């Protein structure tokens, strides 16, 4: 279920194409957001640790609900699907910072 | 490192030459180094109201401090302990640097970045070799003025705060409680975070405190071994709030009160003090410092026991040979505390405290020999502070923060050995006896920590 966290340079030139691709990816039918589906790398784990508690609670709820839906071979009713416009990529600012910090660390540790 | 340096052939010859040179020059020692001038230090005021003072130094290590008059006395009930958290949070991520970046850059340059908080001030100090410090002043400025207080970084460092709270000695605790008993608010605030406030200082609260107190009106920059124009340049570029805020805190009032904390220790630590003069009175504060040393501050020789001649030690040890006592003189800008602190086994602590109070009450009949000793000890203590760059920059910083005028250039009152000597020589025995009389006849405040079964209450002290 993991998706690429990169905003693809090519697709971003065509907003409608982006929206079409978003809807096609399918995770929104489970009520998930883009950042709920990231691979839990070390960076993502650290970013999640820094997330405010209320945002983290909402994420955990969405993931629980998606797991339950997956278990019952079901999806949400269409009006509850995550809309492209509503997906705010809540984790990205934290993730960017974590990545910048990691790159700085690697730069310093380089001989 | 040293071995790799001498491996390089060109350096080896230099090293050898130096070696021979020192061997040859050894009989005729030549003092060709530049002696520090030790002139009184001038403080200047910049348009943004920041006070800047700089002194020369022959030390290869330069030091720069940014000082804010924002110590724990400016806290209120809602942000008690804020300055302790600020001290713990020093060096965490800022607007332009990360925590890691700051740490490694300072480390790489062989420097030292510290934050010190007190009741009056918060000080950020950078120590570094002379050739490097100029490039790293930017970091000092960021750490002092552009802190970000990222929530996860602040909470990651809470264990350090808890460790400091847990490892306070009973003596420190007694002095903190003495302040609380004597001043209640303001100066009564502890420099330590109270237990119920641990973890309550969220980033907004810290930011609010910094915005309200790290202002130009309250800031000073001092340096040793750094050009003054460089300091002025840095100080004028500091990112500070312009509003002066309430520059003077409410005047501290002395209360005759007591605080007792019972712990499961076999000892009792008791601090008793009366109201003393503030630093702004100058002469009186110095007289109290002389009186403190005349009464006795414990042995000055390591493992020594030559303090038996001190009036305070004599009286206390006559009551209980296992007790140990030291006179206490704490001076703040507007008011101070003068008294003693003692530690004694629980069974005999009561007698020791009574003897200590008697010594305090008899302070005005102190002998001239004791006063002369007190003056000599104080003079040497203060002059020795000029020897160490660390204590010197701390001293300059405090003076710049508390005494320098914000309206025009001024000279710091105790910034050269000549000033210190003149001030202490100018004290007569009558001056010291006058302040001793005030303590002897004045009311007392008291704080006690430990096993207090025998320790008398304040109203039982005669």
């Amino acid at each position: 279920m993991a998706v690429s966290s990169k905003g693809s340079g090519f697709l971003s030139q065509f907003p409608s194409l982006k929206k079409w691709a978003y809807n096609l990816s399918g995770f929104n039918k489970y009520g998930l957001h883009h950042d709920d589906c990231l691979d839990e790398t070390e960076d993502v784990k650290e970013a999640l640790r820094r997330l405010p508690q209320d945002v983290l609670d909402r994420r955990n709820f969405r993931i629980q609900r998606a797991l339950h839906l997956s278990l019952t071979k079901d999806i949400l009713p269409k009006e509850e699907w995550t809309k492209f416009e509503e997906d705010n990529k809540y984790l990205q600012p934290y993730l960017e910072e974590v990545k910048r910090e990691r790159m700085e660390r690697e730069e310093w540790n380089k001989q | 490192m040293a071995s790799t340096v001498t491996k390089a052939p060109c350096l080896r010859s230099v090293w050898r030459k130096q070696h021979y040179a020192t061997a040859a020059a050894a009989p005729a020692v030549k003092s060709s180094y530049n002696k520090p001038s030790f002139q009184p230090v001038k403080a200047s005021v910049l348009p943004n109201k920041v006070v800047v003072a700089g002194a020369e130094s022959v030390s290869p290590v330069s030091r720069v401090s940014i000082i804010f008059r924002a110590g724990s006395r400016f806290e209120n009930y809602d942000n008690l302990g804020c300055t302790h958290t600020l001290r713990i949070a020093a060096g965490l991520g800022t607007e332009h640097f990360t925590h890691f970046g700051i740490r490694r850059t300072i480390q790489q340059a062989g420097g030292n970045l510290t934050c010190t908080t007190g009741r009056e001030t918060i000080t950020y100090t950078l120590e570094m070799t002379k050739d490097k410090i100029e490039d790293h002043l930017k970091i000092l400025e960021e750490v002092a003025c552009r802190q970000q207080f990222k929530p996860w970084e602040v909470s990651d460092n809470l264990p350090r705060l808890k460790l400091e709270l847990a490892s306070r000695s009973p003596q420190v605790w007694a002095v903190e409680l003495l302040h609380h008993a004597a001043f209640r608010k303001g100066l009564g605030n502890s420099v330590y975070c109270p237990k119920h406030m641990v973890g309550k200082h969220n980033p907004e609260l810290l930011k609010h405190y910094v915005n309200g107190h790290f202002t130009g009106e309250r800031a000073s920059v001092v340096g040793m071994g750094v050009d003054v124009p460089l300091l002025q340049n840095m100080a004028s570029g500091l990112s500070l709030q312009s509003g002066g805020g309430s520059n003077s805190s409410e005047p501290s009032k002395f209360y005759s009160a007591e605080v007792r904390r019972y712990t499961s220790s076999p000892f009792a630590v008791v601090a008793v003090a009366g109201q003393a003069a503030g630093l702004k009175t100058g002469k009186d504060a110095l007289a109290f410092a002389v009186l403190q040393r005349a009464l006795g501050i414990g042995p000055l020789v390591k493992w020594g026991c030559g303090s038996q001649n001190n009036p305070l030690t004599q009286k206390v040890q006559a009551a209980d040979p296992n007790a140990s006592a030291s006179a206490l003189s704490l001076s703040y800008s507007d008011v101070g505390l003068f008294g003693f602190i003692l530690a004694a086994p629980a069974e005999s602590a009561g007698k020791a405290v009574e003897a200590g109070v008697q010594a305090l009450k008899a302070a005005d009949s102190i002998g001239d020999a004791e006063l002369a000793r007190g003056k000599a000890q104080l003079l040497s203590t203060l002059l020795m502070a000029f020897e160490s760059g660390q204590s010197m920059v701390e001293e300059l910083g405090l003076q710049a923060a508390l005494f320098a005028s914000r309206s025009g250039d001024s000279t710091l009152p105790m910034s050269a050995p000549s000033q210190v000597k003149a001030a202490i020589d100018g004290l007569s025995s009558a001056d010291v006896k006058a302040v001793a009389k005030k303590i002897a006849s004045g009311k007392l405040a008291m704080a006690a920590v430990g096993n207090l079964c025998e320790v008398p209450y304040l109203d039982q002290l005669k």
Side-chain angles (χ1 to χ4, degrees):
Chain A
M1 257 240 309
V3 293
S4 153
S5 64
K6 267 186 225 154
S8 150
F10 175 70
L11 275 185
S12 59
Q13 293 169 21
F14 307 100
S16 53
L17 197 63
K18 221 173 150 187
K19 188 173 175 180
W20 173 76
Y22 183 88
N23 286 328
L24 202 68
S25 62
F27 59 78
N28 61 335
K29 294 173 190 166
Y30 291 99
L32 290 170
H33 283 210
H34 171 274
D35 286 354
D36 297 342
C37 311
L38 299 177
D39 256 342
E40 284 209 14
T41 58
E42 289 302 313
D43 286 353
V44 173
K45 271 187 201 154
E46 175 61 22
L48 285 175
R49 194 179 73 86
R50 298 178 178 189
L51 213 55
Q53 193 60 42
D54 57 327
V55 183
L56 189 65
D57 286 346
R58 261 176 257 146
R59 168 193 159 97
N60 287 342
F61 168 74
R62 285 192 301 267
I63 291 177
Q64 287 284 347
R65 184 175 58 180
L67 283 174
H68 184 256
L69 288 169
S70 165
L71 195 72
T72 53
K73 305 271 187 275
D74 202 0
I75 55 170
L76 286 175
K78 188 155 188 189
E79 60 275 13
E80 285 181 41
W81 292 4
T82 316
K83 292 183 188 65
F84 176 67
E85 296 78 15
E86 284 170 5
D87 193 333
N88 53 6
K89 300 205 171 175
Y90 59 91
L91 199 63
Q92 292 308 319
Y94 295 91
L95 199 55
E96 297 283 312
E97 195 177 341
V98 171
K99 276 185 186 156
R100 269 205 309 276
E101 283 173 16
R102 177 170 52 79
M103 269 145 74
E104 187 186 16
R105 256 195 324 271
E106 284 167 2
E107 191 66 30
W108 268 102
N109 291 334
K110 216 151 53 179
Q111 288 307 314
Chain B
M1 268 293 267
S3 62
T4 55
V5 166
T6 46
K7 260 181 220 157
C10 56
L11 285 179
R12 200 186 297 164
S13 63
V14 171
W15 182 75
R16 214 174 269 155
K17 259 181 216 155
Q18 267 184 352
H19 197 70
Y20 294 148
T22 47
V29 178
K30 211 175 105 209
S31 60
S32 62
Y33 63 90
N34 300 324
K35 282 185 186 158
S37 57
F38 276 144
Q39 296 297 316
V41 176
K42 288 225 160 42
S44 52
V45 181
L46 302 181
N48 61 355
K49 297 279 183 201
V50 178
V51 168
V52 178
E56 290 169 28
S57 137
V58 288
S59 159
V61 177
S62 295
R63 294 176 172 87
V64 177
S65 287
I66 301 182
I67 304 109
F68 299 102
R69 289 212 313 119
S72 61
R73 69 179 300 178
F74 300 102
E75 291 167 359
N76 56 35
Y77 193 80
D78 299 321
N79 58 18
L80 274 183
C82 195
T83 52
H84 192 185
T85 313
L86 276 177
R87 175 157 62 80
I88 294 293
L92 299 184
T94 65
E95 265 173 51
H96 301 109
F97 298 114
T98 61
H99 177 31
F100 175 83
I102 293 171
R103 188 150 44 93
R104 285 301 288 267
T105 315
I106 299 283
Q107 233 172 15
Q108 193 67 22
N112 206 353
L113 180 66
T114 50
C115 173
T116 321
T117 58
R119 275 171 231 283
E120 303 259 17
T121 54
I122 299 184
T123 310
Y124 296 88
T125 305
L126 180 66
E127 299 174 306
M128 213 171 261
T129 47
K130 240 170 204 167
D131 53 332
K132 296 225 173 81
I133 197 160
E134 189 177 341
D135 299 333
H136 293 82
L137 285 181
K138 177 83 189 130
I139 293 189
L140 176 66
E141 187 199 327
E142 281 269 332
V143 167
C145 304
R146 292 178 192 264
Q147 314 184 60
Q148 280 235 302
F149 306 118
K150 294 170 183 166
W152 57 93
E153 285 187 344
V154 175
S155 59
D156 282 354
N157 281 286
L158 277 184
R160 284 173 54 210
L161 189 145
K162 288 179 187 158
L163 177 70
E164 281 185 6
L165 288 185
S167 51
R168 272 181 304 182
S169 67
Q171 287 82 355
V172 169
W173 204 6
V175 173
E176 293 298 314
L177 290 176
L178 179 67
H179 282 86
H180 182 61
F183 298 118
R184 296 185 184 171
K185 289 180 191 167
L187 277 175
N189 294 341
S190 173
V191 291
Y192 290 95
C193 178
K195 284 226 168 98
H196 70 275
M197 290 300 280
V198 174
K200 300 276 169 61
H201 301 113
N202 54 27
E204 287 80 44
L205 197 146
L206 294 173
K207 199 102 203 167
H208 184 75
Y209 190 82
V210 166
N211 286 345
H213 295 86
F214 285 24
T215 59
E217 289 263 313
R218 291 164 168 271
S220 320
V221 174
V222 299
M224 284 197 62
V226 183
D227 289 341
V228 175
L230 188 73
L231 288 179
Q232 285 173 336
N233 192 18
M234 179 185 109
S236 58
L238 288 181
S239 141
L240 296 167
Q241 303 290 317
S242 54
S246 53
N247 200 7
S248 54
S249 66
E250 52 187 297
S252 302
K253 191 172 175 296
F254 180 86
Y255 296 90
S256 172
E258 75 178 316
V259 181
R260 296 162 81 91
R261 284 283 181 282
Y262 302 95
T263 66
S264 62
S265 142
F267 298 100
V269 177
V270 184
V272 178
Q275 182 176 9
L279 288 169
K280 291 218 166 115
T281 58
K283 204 172 186 180
D284 277 1
L286 213 55
F288 272 115
V290 170
L291 183 64
Q292 180 199 14
R293 278 157 177 82
L295 277 179
I297 51 168
L300 287 185
V301 179
K302 201 173 183 184
W303 314 122
C305 53
S307 58
Q308 261 76 9
N309 302 328
N310 298 331
L312 178 69
T313 321
Q314 258 175 0
K315 283 222 167 78
V316 170
Q317 296 209 328
D320 174 13
N322 293 325
S324 130
S326 163
L328 204 62
S329 170
L330 304 155
S331 303
Y332 302 100
S333 54
D334 53 343
V335 72
L337 285 174
F338 187 89
F340 65 88
I341 179 165
L342 66 80
E347 317 79 64
S348 52
K351 275 183 259 159
V353 173
E354 273 160 15
V357 172
Q358 273 163 19
L360 210 57
K361 297 278 182 197
D364 49 343
S365 57
I366 198 161
D368 281 338
E370 264 92 34
L371 288 183
R373 181 172 48 75
K375 272 166 98 167
Q377 283 184 5
L378 181 66
L379 185 63
S380 71
T381 312
L382 290 180
L383 291 184
M384 275 182 209
F386 285 95
E387 295 283 304
S388 137
Q390 215 157 13
S391 57
M392 176 78 184
V393 79
E394 202 180 304
E395 193 56 43
L396 280 185
L398 267 182
Q399 292 185 24
L402 301 182
F403 299 128
S405 141
R406 298 272 157 178
S407 49
D409 293 0
S410 52
T411 307
L412 299 183
M414 295 281 256
S415 56
S418 56
Q419 287 170 306
V420 170
K421 187 147 183 2
I424 294 183
D425 287 346
L427 276 180
S428 66
S429 302
D431 292 332
V432 183
K433 282 186 178 162
V435 298
K437 190 161 266 170
K438 262 187 233 166
I439 283 297
S441 57
K443 286 184 172 171
L444 297 174
M446 172 175 160
V449 179
N451 183 338
L452 307 180
C453 58
E454 293 293 324
V455 174
Y457 287 84
L458 186 61
D459 51 29
Q460 294 168 326
L461 293 177
K462 282 177 230 62

